[in-house]
Amino acid sequence: MTTPRTRSRTRSLAQVSVVAALMVTGCSDPSAPSASASPTSPAAKAPAPTAPAAPTPSRASSAFCADLPTFQLAMLSYQADVGKVLQNQPLDFAEPRRKAALIAGYGKRMRGSAPPDIARHFTTVLDAVAASARAVKPGGSGRAVVEPVYGKRNRAAFDAVQKYECR
């Protein structure tokens, strides 16, 4: 059983993980001058005023790409929990369900803007996590928990989503 303090610590660790993932993937403005630029360097000077460019939506700025690192991290964490069943370790039912709900929430927001080259795999992953999470219950089948996530049928989709990078 988790205490409020444990939940708070877990939530804080999750938030730190998300921030770290975003920092690693480089969610900074590439046009911003670097901190090491000297005041006299061209990078530190204010840019000349120009007419504002019309915003053009790019694949990298879509909701899918904005949430992808967090989704990938949550997916890995869920897979690790499910992997405990393969190693005959006890499975805490609440935690995988919580992670599956997080994955479903992100997936719902991301699905509409998924690039065509990954959309089918993304949907397969969402469906597999949902099927696996439904089987996470006392007296449930270990195979029903593991098969959607680690089975041959969905393996390519999980690999594709995990390795996908927005450009």
Side-chain angles (χ1 to χ4, degrees), residues 4-91:
R5 178 179 232 164
T6 305
R7 274 187 241 127
S8 173
R9 199 173 293 143
T10 303
R11 188 175 302 122
S12 295
L13 288 173
Q15 290 168 341
V16 168
S17 297
V18 169
V19 170
L22 291 174
M23 289 175 64
V24 168
T25 58
C27 289
S28 62
D29 183 6
S31 64
S34 67
S36 63
S38 70
T40 58
S41 72
K45 293 182 182 176
T50 60
T56 56
S58 72
R59 193 161 124 178
S61 66
S62 71
F64 179 87
C65 291
D67 289 336
L68 183 62
T70 305
F71 182 87
Q72 289 169 327
L73 185 66
M75 189 176 72
L76 278 176
S77 183
Y78 183 79
Q79 287 176 299
D81 284 351
V82 170
K84 290 179 181 179
V85 173
L86 292 171
Q87 299 171 350
N88 293 325
Q89 294 179 7
L91 183 64

Side-chain angles (χ1 to χ4, degrees), residues 58-66 68 110-123 161 164-167:
S58 72
R59 193 161 124 178
S61 66
S62 71
F64 179 87
C65 291
L68 183 62
M110 296 168 67
R111 183 177 270 160
S113 63
D117 59 335
I118 194 70
R120 184 176 53 86
H121 291 304
F122 186 70
T123 299
V161 171
Y164 193 79
E165 293 181 17
C166 294
R167 296 184 199 274

